[in-house]
Amino acid sequence: MLTLFSDTDCDVTPAIAKEYGFKIIPMPYAVDGKLYHPYVESQDYDHKAFYDLLRQGTIPTTSAISDAVYVKYFEPEFAAGNDIFYVHFSSGMSNTFENMNRAVKELLEKYPERKFWTVDTLGISAQSLNIVFEIGDLFKAGKTPEEVIEWAKVEVQKFPLYFIADDLKFFRRSGRVSGLAATMGNFIGIRPVIYVNEQGKMVQIGKEVGRNKAIDRMVQYVEELGENVKDHRVVIGHADCQELVDILVGKLREKFGDDLRIYVTMVNPTIGSHCGPNGMGVCFHGKHR
């Protein structure tokens, strides 16, 4: 038997996990010293309440999970005779995967007959979710883990994510975006444009004045970089800014047609702790990142 895993930093919800047969590893965050694990305390999550908290001045923190936590998730599967296939967010954004690798090495020594495959999406949020959807579809179609790994070697780099941010104090604190201008975002209406590069790291690549120009730039990326866009999903992730999503969806449907497969997801709280409220990103199938 094969057990599929993903994590909440891929924006995988309990409903998505149930549809595709994934088990979810929750990535924690802390508010005022209290640790939270998405979808552990409750199968529903009030994203709006979380982002409203950030708007009021709260700045959460995040942390890597330990070797022992990975063992807690993976060992029962190995002990039951199951192999594991884990689709996860970018290893370039967290040292949690160093902990995971140590845990898996220990477990495979204990259960040498078992197999463990991973796909590093080299992405985050909507980007990772788009790849999770594709891999879920492949397994539903009867593909083997080896076939999915071969698919991922080519296709992971063909799901770019472009993101516009609002309040950059969250990104500045986390230090997870390279090239971020020190004064960027201090002026009303300036929206930095960020993307995730081939190494799975976030990089600022420009700025736009005003939300409409920023959204137009996102549509331009889909037009210029898109490859077989309508044969795949377009996933939009947002940090509680449905008004911007509606504008982007309208512009994309105007360009590509009403039958464009668009999936909208709310950015998970662990990633939201770094990007803050009112940001939005779009992931699509492209020629490259």
Side-chain angles (χ1 to χ4, degrees):
M1 295 289 291
L2 180 69
T3 301
L4 304 179
F5 275 92
S6 190
D7 53 62
T8 54
D9 278 4
C10 293
D11 283 349
V12 176
T13 64
I16 294 170
K18 182 178 180 181
E19 178 181 355
Y20 288 98
F22 283 93
K23 292 190 174 184
I24 307 177
I25 298 177
M27 295 296 166
Y29 67 97
V31 175
D32 297 330
K34 182 177 179 180
L35 198 63
Y36 294 90
H37 298 82
Y39 305 120
V40 172
E41 287 84 4
S42 170
Q43 289 293 287
D44 296 315
Y45 188 82
D46 190 345
H47 289 84
K48 182 167 181 54
F50 171 78
Y51 284 111
D52 282 345
L53 197 64
L54 271 56
R55 291 185 179 100
Q56 294 164 15
T58 296
I59 300 183
T61 59
T62 62
S63 58
I65 60 179
S66 68
D67 307 30
V69 172
Y70 282 111
V71 169
K72 182 188 76 172
Y73 281 101
F74 295 152
E75 184 164 22
E77 301 301 328
F78 286 157
N82 299 328
D83 297 327
I84 291 174
F85 195 108
Y86 179 24
V87 187
H88 61 73
F89 77 98
S90 176
S91 60
M93 296 185 191
S94 175
N95 62 6
T96 192
F97 297 107
E98 296 174 10
N99 300 340
M100 182 195 78
N101 290 335
R102 283 194 300 269
V104 171
K105 182 176 183 293
E106 172 188 322
L107 288 171
L108 290 177
E109 289 173 354
K110 186 175 180 180
Y111 303 94
E113 71 283 5
R114 298 275 56 85
K115 293 181 180 179
F116 183 86
W117 294 274
T118 61
V119 169
D120 185 344
T121 63
L122 295 170
I124 203 75
S125 188
Q127 184 175 33
S128 296
L129 180 58
N130 213 345
I131 295 170
V132 167
F133 279 141
E134 295 271 336
I135 288 176
D137 289 339
L138 289 172
F139 278 119
K140 276 189 171 184
K143 299 298 183 183
T144 66
E146 292 82 3
E147 288 172 320
V148 175
I149 292 294
E150 289 303 309
W151 173 91
K153 288 177 182 178
V154 174
E155 290 295 320
V156 161
Q157 293 292 354
K158 288 193 169 189
F159 286 90
L161 174 72
Y162 288 87
F163 186 89
I164 54 174
D166 187 21
D167 189 339
L168 291 188
K169 66 184 178 185
F170 297 93
F171 273 133
R172 287 199 191 97
R173 178 192 54 78
S174 72
R176 278 178 164 79
V177 179
S178 63
L180 197 62
T183 57
M184 189 74 69
N186 287 342
F187 303 101
I188 295 175
I190 300 292
R191 289 182 179 267
V193 181
I194 295 164
Y195 95 121
V196 180
N197 67 15
E198 293 83 356
Q199 290 74 45
K201 297 181 182 295
M202 291 184 287
V203 181
Q204 181 197 327
I205 56 172
K207 64 181 183 294
E208 293 293 345
V209 179
R211 69 180 191 180
N212 287 331
K213 286 186 177 179
I215 293 171
D216 285 342
R217 183 162 176 172
M218 296 174 76
V219 175
Q220 180 184 346
Y221 283 128
V222 181
E223 285 189 282
E224 293 179 352
L225 287 178
E227 179 183 73
N228 302 324
V229 173
K230 295 185 73 170
D231 293 336
H232 303 268
R233 295 173 185 84
V234 173
V235 179
I236 297 171
H238 71 104
D240 194 26
C241 53
Q242 186 63 46
E243 181 183 359
L244 298 187
V245 172
D246 293 341
I247 296 171
L248 177 58
V249 168
K251 289 178 179 289
L252 288 171
R253 293 206 185 283
E254 182 180 343
K255 293 289 184 182
F256 294 95
D258 290 338
D259 58 340
L260 185 65
R261 285 195 295 164
I262 297 176
Y263 185 92
V264 177
T265 181
M266 191 84 87
V267 175
N268 67 82
T270 312
I271 301 307
S273 299
H274 296 286
C275 73
N278 306 322
M280 178 176 66
V282 62
C283 175
F284 54 95
H285 190 265
K287 302 180 185 76
H288 57 76
R289 294 198 173 194

